[in-house]
Amino acid sequence: MNIVLGHTQYGKAETHVVRVFRDHEPHEIVDYVVSVAVTGDFSDVHLTGDNARCLTTDAMKNTVNAYAKEAGDAVRQPESFAAALARHFVADVPQVERARIQIDATPWDRLPSGGQPHPHAFSKRGSYVRTVTVTDDGTTAHVVSGVRDLVVLKTTDSEFHGFYTERYTTLAPTTDRIMATSVTAQWLHTDADVDWGKSHDRVLATLSGTFAGHHSYALQQTLHAMGEAIIGEQPEIAEVRFSLPNKHHFLVDLSPFGVENHQEVFHADDRPYGYIEGTVRRDDAPDPGPDAFDPGQGW
Ligand SMILES: O=c1[nH]c(=O)c2[nH]c(=O)[nH]c2[nH]1
């Protein structure tokens, strides 16, 4: 009896690349999670550990990132991007016989701002849930409205520098970065005579418009600006609580491949993430008791 090697394939799964087209206004983005798998003449690496023909999965990740810049207009659609990548692997790497590229593309819509689609701020399509918590002690009802999983992103107008540095600080300061977060927010009403639907729409419009229009020096500052705008716009709202994961987008270093990257190709990192939480309130806001806000938010 002989033991033989059957079918094999290998590749890099789930490279999350965000490409910003920013050489014109409005900016455009594509957001792809790309998986590469190849088959071919790879028996040596399995049988003897001879890696001479083994294209590294790290190189596959690099190819995805570099092609996000180099593949030109093909990047704009996942089909043409996948086709360009697949053809590269079979045409340019002799030992690859078949290449399989899978892409999950996330659609983003422009955030409305002042009634107009914003040129460089986006929200993830269909992402959010409207939430409400009502507590009633027999005398008073507290209505806390909210939103969960509202994913928003801006391709510019965000800086982060001048921060405290110590032995473990390695983060490079930046004057231009992608800022993205998944907004969870809850807000307390002091008036029950409210058109709830309109009020919710208005809060979201204020929140979105502020995120889009505010030039940010930190996500913490954006949190405050959004809360301030919501209460300023709707004084019947006494308090807003935010939980904002900082969805980091790291600039990919394409210089080893001779490709320039002027804030165009980003790795959308999954975890860890900064977690920015805070409350903005009127100083005369009533105490709603311990459980009017859903404590699951992080308090
Ligand atoms: O807006 C930010 N706030 C931070 O506190 C922080 N920390 C960090 O590493 N990046 C950022 N960004």
Side-chain angles (χ1 to χ4, degrees), residues 159-160 171 177 179 216-220 246 248 274 276:
E159 311 189 23
F160 190 64
L171 186 73
R177 65 174 183 174
M179 175 183 275
S216 176
Y217 292 95
L219 185 52
Q220 288 90 330
N246 192 355
H248 303 298
I276 312 299

